[in-house]
Amino acid sequence: MTSAPTTSPATERARPEPIRAVPVRRPWRWVAVGVMAVLAAMFVHMLLTNDAFAWAYMVDNMFRPPIMMGLRGTIILTVGAMVLGVALGVVIAIMRLSGNPILVAAAWTYTWVFRAVPRLVLAFLFGSLTTLWLRIEFGLPFDRQLGALFGRDDFQLRLFGFDTREVSLFAGGLVVGIIALGLSEAAYMAEIVRAGIQSIDQGQTEAAGALGMTRLQTLRRIVLPQAMRLIIPPTGNETIAMLKDTSLVAFVPITAELFYQLTLVGKREFQVFPMLVAATLWYLLLTSILLVGQHFVERHFSRGYGARRGAGGGSDAPARNRAWLRLRGLAAEQGGAAAPGGWGADPHAAGPSGGGSR
């Protein structure tokens, strides 16, 4: 039996003293907190003591039937414009990526024009359609000119049409507002969808083509489901921006809209400011609802992405997973096999002895 080697006190190193960790002092943080607390107290004091808010009058009038009708109109405007914008934006994005120079030029021109023109100007333009056409009809283009060319002055081939004045007045002008805002939104959605599609690795499209899938099947089953993870967050932001931009159509004017009805009540009774505060509260409520919906939609389309905890349950599991993937790739490049417990092996998998990762 051998005894453990001993060391003399002269050769033994002195143990260092324990480190006395002193937290970093950040006095300016507390100064900022104090300033914010004072500002918050001043703001609450203003809300409670300033008579210009007229809280009792605002609460009594912000739920009137005309205002609730305007609330419904704002929701219809937001949903209709976003549906039109998303659908048309996907088509324009596909045209932009098609490779056909004519389609690419048409898509680029559309996005250039509708991103350059302010939405308020577009709302006024579409609200003045009666200046250009009293009636819009669908059928054979240039039918009268073709008839006159062949000696038939009464030749017309038109399927249906509508009076622009009726459309401008229908449902308080909501149709005009949906068209104006939807066409503007399509230009922005086209760029969002195009960026999302281009973020997907081209190798997946090539692999789908090798499996015999058409371009439409590849887009619908391979590309778009993965691109949705990147498309949804900016689309949610665009929806919130669209909700606020519906207030622009009040200047056309489109009567079936929340901001128009609120300002109408305020001007009629000379209480404009309380109704502006009521509009602020309504938009805060609607935006909060959209933010909650956006959170759940993003979480749905982000399944399978992001940091995941490994079998060991440690906080550094994502880093170990990434390291394991890199090591497995190196092992494959060197022609080696992913042996249990060796290079390229899953660090979370149990070895022959039943042990897990260290």
Side-chain angles (χ1 to χ4, degrees), residues 36-309:
M36 293 176 61
V38 172
L39 292 177
M42 293 173 62
F43 181 72
V44 173
H45 180 266
M46 178 194 66
L47 293 179
L48 297 178
T49 59
N50 198 318
D51 296 333
F53 287 97
W55 293 107
Y57 171 84
M58 184 192 69
V59 174
D60 290 339
N61 290 273
M62 67 183 298
F63 299 101
R64 283 186 177 184
I67 294 177
M68 301 309 295
M69 179 196 69
L71 176 63
R72 290 192 297 269
T74 294
I75 296 174
I76 293 173
L77 276 171
T78 303
V79 174
M82 286 306 300
V83 169
L84 177 61
V86 170
L88 187 57
V90 171
V91 174
I92 296 172
I94 295 174
M95 291 171 57
R96 187 80 180 271
L97 298 172
S98 63
N100 187 305
I102 297 178
L103 295 180
V104 172
W108 182 87
T109 303
Y110 182 94
T111 56
W112 169 57
V113 171
F114 281 92
R115 289 173 69 186
V117 180
R119 288 181 174 176
L120 181 60
V121 177
L122 284 175
F124 274 110
L125 286 176
F126 281 91
S128 305
L129 285 178
T130 55
T131 305
L132 294 176
W133 306 288
L134 293 178
R135 183 174 178 80
I136 297 178
E137 296 179 336
F138 296 87
L140 179 66
F142 305 106
D143 53 352
R144 293 180 180 176
Q145 289 80 1
L146 292 174
L149 182 62
F150 292 98
R152 295 287 303 273
D153 295 335
D154 58 344
F155 177 77
Q156 290 186 4
L157 186 57
R158 304 184 180 185
L159 301 178
F160 64 94
F162 56 86
D163 192 341
T164 55
R165 289 171 295 186
E166 295 178 358
V167 174
S168 299
L169 298 176
F170 178 73
L174 287 179
V175 176
V176 174
I178 290 175
I179 294 175
L181 296 176
L183 293 179
S184 175
E185 182 62 32
Y188 295 92
M189 284 304 305
E191 294 300 299
I192 293 174
V193 174
R194 182 173 68 90
I197 292 175
Q198 289 180 329
S199 68
I200 306 302
D201 188 5
Q202 184 66 24
Q204 300 194 33
T205 303
E206 297 172 357
L211 293 175
M213 299 179 66
T214 63
R215 294 191 64 180
L216 181 59
Q217 290 176 332
T218 303
L219 182 67
R220 184 169 60 90
R221 297 186 177 184
I222 304 297
V223 177
L224 282 182
Q226 299 181 75
M228 289 298 291
R229 183 176 64 92
L230 302 176
I231 293 175
I232 288 297
T235 303
N237 295 335
E238 287 293 319
T239 305
I240 294 174
M242 178 60 68
L243 171 66
K244 297 181 291 185
D245 287 344
T246 55
S247 61
L248 297 175
V249 301
F251 300 96
V252 174
I254 294 177
T255 58
E257 193 272 330
L258 177 63
F259 184 69
Y260 179 87
Q261 293 295 333
L262 286 168
T263 54
L264 188 64
V265 172
K267 292 177 181 178
R268 185 170 58 243
E269 301 185 8
F270 302 100
Q271 293 284 352
V272 177
F273 186 77
M275 289 296 98
L276 293 178
V277 177
T280 302
L281 297 178
W282 273 119
Y283 285 116
L284 280 174
L285 175 62
L286 295 175
T287 302
S288 301
I289 296 173
L290 288 178
L291 286 174
V292 173
Q294 179 183 358
H295 167 73
F296 286 103
V297 173
E298 288 183 12
R299 191 174 68 176
H300 172 76
F301 283 99
S302 297
R303 292 179 301 177
Y305 294 91
R308 292 178 293 181
R309 298 179 68 88

